[in-house]
Amino acid sequence: MKLNERSLAFYATCDAPVDNAGFLYKKGGRHAAYHRRWFVLRGNMLFYFEDRASREPVGVIILEGCTVELVEAAEEFAFAVRFAGARARTYVLAAESQAAMEGWVKALSRASFDYLRLVVRELEQQLAAMRAGGGPPAPRRPRALPAKENGCAVWSTELHAAPIGTSTGARPGPEPPPLPPRRRSVPNGPLDSASFAQLHEWYGQEVRALRSQWLRNRAQP
């Protein structure tokens, strides 16, 4: 992927609201020490700077097809952003507190367009069913929570659409957290009177609540 450095620098430092920002400790290499960097998350791009006052990012991580997971490291509150492939790089990061770590893992896990596309597709199907006069589709069985590797829950931003029993040659990953349950009414009235923007906001709140519940359950021994 070819990226324009000037456009990236402008996007990284523009006045538009960010999805998340804060200091993280970034491991420089396989045997390198951790360096404190200022990170800014915008959409599916994670920028990092030398310090908070810097006007040009040191680097950027494109959060597509990655896996965000907790890891054991020298620094406390560590997690990793991993990409598939033999030569793909793994970014090991560490937050300054448990709350900050959970916030970053949550934000990075839902930063990819694949995850957002999954949520929007679900809402579009419900909206199409309501416009057709059939009411909301029948609820599906909630997906299971991510499996654990070495005692740590793993969350992948990739969509695993291959049927059970098929082989794609790649290591299968865990499914995302379950989508919000469908319902026939919303906070301010019936579903058929709500706009798509309202549905998106209401169900987005439920998605965030489910992710928070999943993180709390994962934190329990």
Side-chain angles (χ1 to χ4, degrees):
M1 180 186 295
K2 189 174 181 179
L3 300 174
N4 185 285
E5 292 184 5
R6 298 180 106 187
S7 298
L8 279 179
F10 173 79
Y11 180 57
T13 57
C14 67
D15 295 331
V18 301
D19 296 306
N20 204 7
F23 282 106
L24 291 172
Y25 292 92
K26 178 179 176 293
K27 191 174 183 180
R30 180 173 297 180
H31 302 292
Y34 285 83
H35 300 280
R36 194 170 185 253
R37 297 286 183 259
W38 178 256
F39 280 77
V40 174
L41 176 62
R42 292 182 183 274
N44 66 341
M45 293 185 177
L46 180 62
F47 299 93
Y48 52 97
F49 303 77
E50 286 283 353
D51 53 55
R52 188 170 185 174
S54 299
R55 298 302 299 170
E56 188 170 332
V58 177
V60 59
I61 305 171
I62 310 298
L63 300 169
E64 292 296 333
C66 66
T67 297
V68 183
E69 61 184 66
L70 303 182
V71 295
E72 293 184 3
E75 292 289 333
E76 196 175 8
F77 312 122
F79 59 95
V81 179
R82 301 184 188 276
F83 293 86
R87 297 184 178 181
R89 180 175 176 181
T90 296
Y91 296 86
V92 179
L93 308 171
E96 296 182 331
S97 67
Q98 178 73 22
M101 181 194 70
E102 292 180 358
W104 275 108
V105 171
K106 176 180 178 180
L108 297 176
S109 297
R110 63 185 187 184
S112 74
F113 286 124
D114 281 339
Y115 175 79
L116 297 178
R117 190 181 298 116
L118 180 68
V119 175
V120 171
R121 185 184 302 127
E122 177 75 12
L123 295 174
E124 287 176 340
Q125 291 175 354
Q126 296 178 41
L127 184 62
M130 289 184 292
R131 286 177 174 174
R140 294 183 303 181
R141 184 177 180 180
R143 293 172 175 161
L145 291 177
K148 289 192 175 183
E149 293 184 3
N150 298 325
C152 296
V154 179
W155 160 248
S156 173
T157 61
E158 293 180 319
L159 293 179
H160 306 283
I164 296 176
T166 60
S167 177
T168 60
R171 182 183 176 183
E175 293 184 338
L179 292 174
R182 297 179 177 86
R183 52 186 180 183
R184 296 183 178 275
S185 61
V186 290
N188 296 322
L191 280 171
D192 53 8
S193 65
S195 66
F196 180 79
Q198 290 173 317
L199 286 173
H200 189 280
E201 174 62 23
W202 290 327
Y203 279 92
Q205 293 175 2
E206 293 193 39
V207 169
R208 290 191 291 270
L210 285 172
R211 288 283 297 140
S212 298
Q213 180 182 0
W214 172 68
L215 288 171
R216 288 195 300 270
N217 292 339
R218 186 187 63 182
Q220 295 177 356

